[in-house]
Amino acid sequence: STALRTKQAEIKREIMAKETLASMLDDFINEQLDQIVLSNPAEKDHLLKVKVRPMLMKGALVFQAEEFTRTQAFHKNMSAKELKVYLTDQLSGSFKQAEVLSELGSATVLVSKKGTTTVKTRRHGPAKIQAAKPDGHFSEELQEKLQHNRQKRYVIPEGHAVPFLVDLGVQTPDGKVIKSRYDKFRQINRFLEFIEDILPKLDKNRENVIIDFGCGKSYLTFAMYYYLHEMKGYPIRIIGLDLKKDVISHCQKLAEQYGYDKLQFCYGDIASYEGVDHVDMVVTLHACDTATDYALAKAVCWGAKVILSVPCCQHELNKQMKNDLLEPVLHYGLIKERMAALYTDALRAELLEQQGYRTQILEFIDMEHTPKNILLRAVYEGRPKHNENEIREILDFLQINPTLYELLGQKK
């Protein structure tokens, strides 16, 4: 029958597609590979993306898969054979797209809603393939590349001298990271990774206004300007705001010294600042206690597209929290303090969701460096979460009244 023939044709096409995929993976999974990226996940609550790259470990070629969830990244090292099985499995339900880049060429894999696999391959000419495949051994250039893949790739690379990092005591004049300041270097790069993820929300065709509340010594403010303007070419204006006049004066002198004419530092308070009427991104790092709430409320009122906030010293709820059921736990001061901090930031995230922001709670830097390791990243999508009843129940349960709840309630 026609239906049977159609079904047989579909099965034949799928078998051919899988054979084409297997052949492509055989061709590209070798030392010439640059990277493979799996994207467009079938389920948004599991893995969001996977990056694969080759590297040398103890002289042997392995392939490292870096799996990204909403909040974490996991690593797996595999042989070529294991990687082929892994990628085939991932493209059989978990991901709908793969991009392959290699010295030998490139390939794209697309999986339709019906599960049909399409593989498009583009190979370089024979001369390039021959040059890319040394006789039996890895060339020195290839070994260097594979060894480099083992190193952590920072947004601002090591060995690249940046004036503000030198003046702030993080680098030597020749670009080496000062050993005692390595944690700060890692923190700066980790922060820039968060910004890298939200670049599509900024407009390259007009000036983007960014406010950094409580900028302090401004390591991250300078890094943000350097990355967005100097490295990526975005038209931006950044305003750093703090209550320490001597620090503001010093940072302003440095900005002028570097010719960062769109980076300005001002003395001012988060709650009362009215220097602009439009803001694209708000950054608030370690603003103490309810200062974070005022900064978040300001960001919402401005309609900021992106909010990056590292809260600090969440004392407010610690003073308010009361609950008979939880009393056996809350009477331990340290436990109550930590619970209050977690409730504070979780409620902040939910309140931002209520305002139409997709909000993530992410780890900023490793736990051993500082306990203040939570970052709230909120991206405006205009789809408010209807969670008023749930939030109200939590507030009643803990007998608390957070500042941000009050500030955003006044906005309604």
Side-chain angles (χ1 to χ4, degrees):
S1 69
T2 304
L4 179 60
R5 286 195 298 272
T6 301
K7 185 66 176 176
Q8 289 174 336
E10 288 178 357
I11 293 172
K12 186 177 180 179
R13 281 196 298 270
E14 188 57 30
I15 291 173
M16 291 177 64
K18 289 187 181 300
E19 289 175 350
T20 304
L21 174 62
S23 176
M24 183 273 289
L25 293 176
D26 283 338
D27 289 344
F28 286 113
I29 297 178
N30 51 47
E31 68 276 6
Q32 306 296 332
L33 180 69
D34 287 325
Q35 71 171 11
I36 298 174
V37 178
L38 302 181
S39 58
N40 195 2
E43 297 180 5
K44 303 294 184 183
D45 59 347
H46 188 43
L47 293 181
L48 299 182
K49 182 169 62 176
V50 176
K51 289 184 179 180
V52 178
R53 56 196 175 116
M55 62 177 63
L56 283 180
M57 294 188 70
K58 297 181 180 179
L61 178 67
V62 300
F63 297 87
Q64 184 176 89
E66 189 174 13
E67 301 176 333
F68 296 88
T69 67
R70 286 190 68 179
T71 58
Q72 291 177 290
F74 302 93
H75 298 86
K76 292 181 179 178
N77 294 331
M78 292 170 273
S79 66
K81 184 177 180 180
E82 290 169 335
L83 178 61
K84 182 178 175 181
V85 173
Y86 172 84
L87 293 173
T88 303
D89 288 344
Q90 294 292 348
L91 290 167
S92 298
S94 298
F95 288 93
K96 298 177 182 178
Q97 184 171 342
E99 295 285 343
V100 182
L101 294 176
S102 167
E103 296 289 338
L104 308 179
S106 60
T108 302
V109 182
L110 297 174
V111 183
S112 70
K113 291 181 179 179
K114 293 182 178 180
T116 303
T117 303
T118 303
V119 182
K120 295 182 179 179
T121 303
R122 181 181 178 184
R123 290 180 173 83
H124 294 312
K128 182 150 190 176
I129 292 175
Q130 188 177 0
K133 288 190 173 181
D135 235 1
H137 298 285
F138 301 140
S139 66
E140 288 185 11
E141 182 182 352
L142 196 53
Q143 284 190 53
E144 185 178 341
K145 167 194 162 185
L146 295 172
Q147 291 286 7
H148 178 69
N149 280 353
R150 291 196 64 192
Q151 301 172 4
K152 170 66 178 176
R153 290 184 177 181
Y154 291 110
V155 177
I156 297 178
E158 293 184 72
H160 176 70
V162 180
F164 76 87
L165 290 179
V166 175
D167 287 339
L168 293 172
V170 176
Q171 285 183 325
T172 61
D174 60 356
K176 291 182 180 178
V177 179
I178 295 171
K179 191 173 182 180
S180 62
R181 307 297 286 160
Y182 208 89
D183 288 346
K184 179 60 69 175
F185 181 74
R186 289 178 65 245
Q187 183 197 49
I188 289 169
N189 277 281
R190 180 63 174 145
F191 177 67
L192 294 180
E193 287 174 9
F194 291 125
I195 293 180
E196 192 173 37
D197 290 342
I198 56 85
L199 283 181
K201 294 294 179 180
L202 300 181
D203 191 342
K204 263 207 165 181
N205 298 313
R206 65 166 180 82
E207 185 176 79
N208 297 270
V209 178
I210 301 171
I211 300 282
D212 186 353
F213 283 126
C215 59
K217 293 182 180 179
S218 302
Y219 292 93
L220 300 180
T221 321
F222 279 105
M224 185 163 49
Y225 186 93
Y226 180 80
Y227 173 68
L228 288 173
H229 188 67
E230 304 295 310
M231 293 178 68
K232 292 296 183 179
Y234 277 81
I236 57 170
R237 176 189 173 202
I238 298 182
I239 301 166
L241 190 72
D242 204 277
L243 287 171
K244 300 187 182 82
K245 289 185 177 180
D246 56 335
V247 172
I248 286 295
S249 176
H250 176 65
C251 290
Q252 185 61 42
K253 287 177 182 176
L254 287 179
E256 292 169 2
Q257 178 183 319
Y258 306 142
Y260 292 176
D261 56 344
K262 291 293 184 176
L263 175 57
Q264 178 186 5
F265 292 92
C266 304
Y267 172 81
D269 175 72
I270 290 175
S272 59
Y273 183 72
E274 299 290 346
V276 292
D277 55 11
H278 169 77
V279 176
D280 294 283
M281 183 162 80
V282 170
V283 177
T284 168
L285 306 175
H286 301 124
C288 191
D289 200 18
T290 57
T292 293
D293 299 302
Y294 284 98
L296 296 178
K298 279 277 189 182
V300 171
C301 288
W302 277 323
K305 295 176 184 176
V306 179
I307 303 170
L308 297 176
S309 175
V310 178
C312 183
C313 307
Q314 302 93 324
H315 297 313
E316 183 182 40
L317 298 197
N318 190 28
K319 298 172 183 175
Q320 297 179 4
M321 282 171 55
K322 293 178 183 177
N323 183 281
D324 291 340
L325 179 63
L326 295 179
E327 182 54 31
V329 175
L330 296 180
H331 85 273
Y332 294 103
L334 180 61
I335 298 298
K336 183 181 180 184
E337 178 185 346
R338 292 184 179 179
M339 287 179 67
L342 293 172
Y343 276 124
T344 298
D345 292 332
L347 285 167
R348 283 167 172 161
E350 284 297 301
L351 288 166
L352 290 173
E353 290 271 354
Q354 191 180 78
Q355 299 295 322
Y357 287 84
R358 181 176 63 83
T359 307
Q360 298 168 288
I361 296 182
L362 305 168
E363 187 175 65
F364 183 24
I365 50 178
D366 295 336
M367 199 68 170
E368 63 262 30
H369 301 302
T370 171
K372 306 293 189 298
N373 73 323
I374 281 179
L375 179 140
L376 302 180
R377 181 170 66 191
V379 177
Y380 187 72
E381 291 192 343
R383 296 193 297 271
K385 184 176 181 180
H386 302 293
N387 55 4
E388 175 64 29
N389 291 339
E390 291 87 344
I391 291 175
R392 190 66 256 173
E393 286 177 2
I394 293 172
L395 302 189
D396 292 342
F397 180 72
L398 297 173
Q399 301 181 46
I400 55 177
N401 189 35
T403 293
L404 186 60
Y405 183 76
E406 286 294 302
L407 292 172
L408 295 180
Q410 295 168 13
K411 175 180 173 292
K412 293 178 182 178

